[in-house]
Structures are given as C-alpha cells and as structure tokens.
Amino acid sequence: MISTADKKPAILLDYGKQIHGGIKISAGIRADKTPVRLRLRFGESVGEAMSDIGGKQNATNEHSLRDFIVEVPWLGSVEVGETGFGFCA
C-alpha cells in the first residue's frame, strides 16, 4: 500500500467481539531507515474506528485514548492502546 498526499490507504481490523488490550506493530528491513508514521484508531464499532475525533456525533479521546499517531522505528516495534475495542483502523 502506498500513501500519497491525495490518497491514504487504510486497513480495518474486526476482532468479532469486544476485547481489552492494545496493538503491537513491528517494522522490518526497508531501504529507508526513517520511522514509519501511522494513525491508529480504536473503536467499539466500525463507525467509531473510522471517524475523526470531535464533532457532535463522533467519538472523543476523553475517557479513553482511541486515536493515535505513532512512529514505528526501523527494525523496531511500538505498542499502542490499552483500551476496550472491537475494531482498529
């Protein structure tokens, strides 16, 4: 998947039930050794996981952080989450 200024690809993970925990993402060998920048959003529904923070009908980050921008280091990993969710985008 290739991200450009106009197009941002996404993957939606459906766990089939509500779980508690987080996501660990690891990066392998690439020619470019800069960190990979990712946006992760957790949700109890598809709509919540795919929506931006704020607004009248969107989810918030107030009681549990659910929207993150992280950098995954070259040949390293990062853990994010520690929340209740059924979906992650």
Side-chain angles (χ1 to χ4, degrees), residues 22-81:
I23 301 284
K24 182 175 183 176
I25 300 173
S26 299
I29 296 176
R30 300 182 350 269
D32 184 359
K33 294 182 180 181
T34 61
V36 176
R37 189 176 166 124
L38 301 173
R39 182 176 185 186
L40 299 172
R41 290 185 285 192
F42 296 89
E44 296 177 16
S45 67
V46 171
E48 188 175 51
M50 298 295 287
S51 67
D52 288 325
I53 294 292
K56 287 186 177 184
Q57 297 182 1
N58 292 346
T60 66
N61 259 359
E62 59 194 30
H63 69 280
S64 179
L65 296 180
R66 57 169 287 288
D67 193 335
F68 302 88
I69 295 177
V70 298
E71 290 187 340
V72 183
W74 183 75
L75 289 179
S77 61
V78 64
E79 293 185 47
V80 180

